[in-house]
Amino acid sequence: MEELEQKPKKDYLLIKLFIGIVVGIILGMVSNAAVINVIQSIKYVLNQVISFMVPLIVLGFIAPAITRMGNRANKMLGVMLALAYFSSVGAALFATIAGYIIIPNLNIASNVSGGKELPEIIFKLDINPVFPVITALFLAICGGVAVVKTKSKYFENLLDELNNIILFLVNNVVVPILPFYIGTTFATLSYEGTIIKSVPVFLIIIIIAIVGHFIWLTLLYSIAGIISKKNPARVFKHYGPAYLTAVGTMSSAATLPVALKCVSKSDALDKDVVNFAIPMGSTIHLCGSVLTETFFVMTISKILYGHLPTVGTMVLFIILLGIFAVGAPGVPGGTVVASLGIIISVLGFNNDGTALILAVFALQDSFGTACNVTGDGALALMLQGIFKKDQKVG
């Protein structure tokens, strides 16, 4: 009965997300500095609420999932890390090959025009998370494994209760405010002129990158279908609200609550696999962002320095980028910010190069994030197949 009630809610959420985007863009176009200041303040507070909840979600979902899986958890953790790394490296290699084929034939101006300056935020309410996301992830893994090894029934039950509490907060606090957060995000982008003025400058490479995302997702889900012997459509068909939320928030972490709700509808995945793989994936699996960054740095190298990086340089960059992607924070632009060091040291970018990659990456960051989030479902399906968990139906 509860299952039947949730479906219309999800469909309604999808509609609200669309409304949030449209209303946000219109508001940004017609607002003056005073109105946009209020919108910015609302966006800031909503972002603080979501940021506060994300580490709790990671802890409240991953630790109980580990205890339920018992001794299989250690193995699953290692496999998940390997899958996330090889997915990111594979996406980067795919982008590199495409870059060497496509970029020499492109003729793109490098002039990125700016828009209006956003005014200073008038009201800030800082709600600091109890701990950072990476700390929550480490605590969830250590705590979950320790409970399994010590066979502590008390803490196992405690973690189950924590899971129920966090699930309640996700459904009743985080998910309801997401359309408003997305709306305010698009309002500020629209006011700045980013959507209207800046996108056309790199429209061609952004479209190429988005097409690349869908090609990579098709490959990932095809592999997942082969490994699990299940139709991958049973997972990805539920990802609509999560994809749209990621486009609006530009953050895998902020999209996590919706992703969990979406994937939980799939009859191809065990609940414990979902609760383990989706929060873990939102932290360490950034295939879409890596694919985009790789293609963009090659394009910018051609524009600013007149040549593409050598094959050897790109191979070294990809290997290191995969490592940085696993540790990148799930926040807007997290991948490119975390990897600025290797962009400078390995590719030899100067200040102009790094500024341009940050600006252009920001234009498509939402779509890269949506690819990251959707790709997590494929990794979950791979884990389902590798560990041959029997799916209980009904």
Side-chain angles (χ1 to χ4, degrees):
M1 196 73 169
E2 206 178 331
E3 204 79 37
L4 288 171
E5 275 186 301
Q6 271 189 321
K7 190 170 178 181
K9 265 193 172 181
K10 291 226 178 181
D11 294 337
Y12 188 47
L13 174 63
L14 190 58
I15 293 166
K16 287 198 288 186
L17 294 174
F18 270 120
I19 292 170
I21 291 170
V22 173
V23 172
I25 292 171
I26 294 169
L27 264 177
M29 291 169 69
V30 301
S31 294
N32 57 24
V35 174
I36 208 68
N37 218 320
V38 174
I39 292 172
Q40 270 190 287
S41 299
I42 294 169
K43 176 189 168 187
Y44 185 89
V45 173
L46 294 179
N47 180 61
Q48 290 290 299
V49 173
I50 293 169
S51 299
F52 175 82
M53 288 298 303
V54 167
L56 299 179
I57 293 168
V58 170
L59 179 62
F61 278 86
I62 292 180
I66 289 173
T67 60
R68 290 189 199 114
M69 287 185 295
N71 289 318
R72 284 169 300 180
N74 284 342
K75 220 182 225 182
M76 192 175 281
L77 175 61
V79 171
M80 184 66 182
L81 284 166
L83 288 175
Y85 179 77
F86 285 114
S87 173
S88 294
V89 167
L93 279 171
F94 169 65
T96 301
I97 293 165
Y100 282 124
I101 295 168
I102 297 170
I103 293 169
N105 300 309
L106 296 178
N107 183 19
I108 309 167
S110 60
N111 177 30
V112 180
S113 57
K116 292 185 201 168
E117 282 285 320
L118 283 168
E120 195 73 32
I121 298 176
I122 49 171
F123 175 75
K124 289 185 180 181
L125 177 64
D126 291 317
I127 309 170
N128 296 322
V130 181
F131 30 63
V133 173
I134 296 299
T135 303
L137 180 61
F138 189 72
L139 179 60
I141 293 167
C142 291
V145 171
V147 169
V148 170
K149 294 300 180 186
T150 58
K151 297 182 172 62
S152 171
K153 283 292 170 193
Y154 174 77
F155 275 99
E156 189 176 334
N157 293 334
L158 205 62
L159 287 174
D160 279 338
E161 290 299 321
L162 176 64
N163 182 255
N164 293 333
I165 291 166
I166 299 302
L167 195 57
F168 172 82
L169 291 173
V170 166
N171 290 330
N172 293 279
V173 177
V174 180
V175 173
I177 68 173
L178 277 173
F180 298 98
Y181 178 56
I182 290 170
T184 54
T185 299
F186 271 86
T188 54
L189 287 173
S190 178
Y191 177 84
E192 280 182 299
T194 303
I195 290 174
I196 297 159
K197 293 181 182 173
S198 301
V199 171
V201 178
F202 278 91
L203 185 60
I204 295 170
I205 61 168
I206 288 171
I207 290 170
I208 291 169
I210 293 169
V211 170
H213 295 161
F214 284 105
I215 294 171
W216 186 252
L217 286 174
T218 302
L219 182 60
L220 267 188
Y221 273 98
S222 299
I223 294 169
I226 293 165
I227 292 172
S228 66
K229 297 181 173 58
K230 295 175 188 286
N231 184 351
R234 289 163 64 185
V235 177
F236 70 71
K237 71 179 181 180
H238 300 293
Y239 259 102
Y243 189 93
L244 193 61
T245 301
V247 169
T249 62
M250 305 182 194
S251 169
S252 299
T255 308
L256 177 57
V258 177
L260 281 164
K261 283 172 71 72
C262 290
V263 186
S264 295
K265 284 182 72 175
S266 173
D267 61 356
L269 294 171
D270 185 89
K271 183 185 173 188
D272 294 337
V273 172
V274 170
N275 286 350
F276 176 82
I278 302 305
M280 179 74 77
S282 76
T283 311
I284 64 172
H285 183 223
L286 304 176
C287 60
S289 297
V290 165
L291 186 154
T292 306
E293 181 177 337
T294 303
F295 191 78
F296 283 8
V297 293
M298 293 179 74
T299 306
I300 290 167
S301 178
K302 177 73 173 172
I303 291 168
L304 291 184
Y305 313 121
H307 59 83
L308 293 172
T310 63
V311 173
T313 300
M314 284 308 300
V315 169
L316 176 60
F317 177 74
I318 287 166
I319 292 168
L320 294 174
L321 182 59
I323 297 168
F324 276 87
V326 167
V331 295
T335 314
V336 73
V337 171
S339 62
L340 277 179
I342 57 170
I343 290 174
I344 295 165
S345 60
V346 176
L347 299 179
F349 275 31
N350 58 18
N351 289 342
D352 289 343
T354 54
L356 196 52
I357 184 62
L358 285 168
V360 181
F361 190 88
L363 293 180
Q364 69 68 57
D365 193 18
S366 53
F367 294 100
T369 302
C371 179
N372 300 339
V373 167
T374 309
D376 294 342
L379 297 198
L381 194 55
M382 289 179 198
L383 286 181
Q384 182 80 30
I386 291 167
F387 290 91
K388 294 181 168 59
K389 288 178 68 71
D390 294 323
Q391 181 65 34
K392 300 175 189 115
V393 182

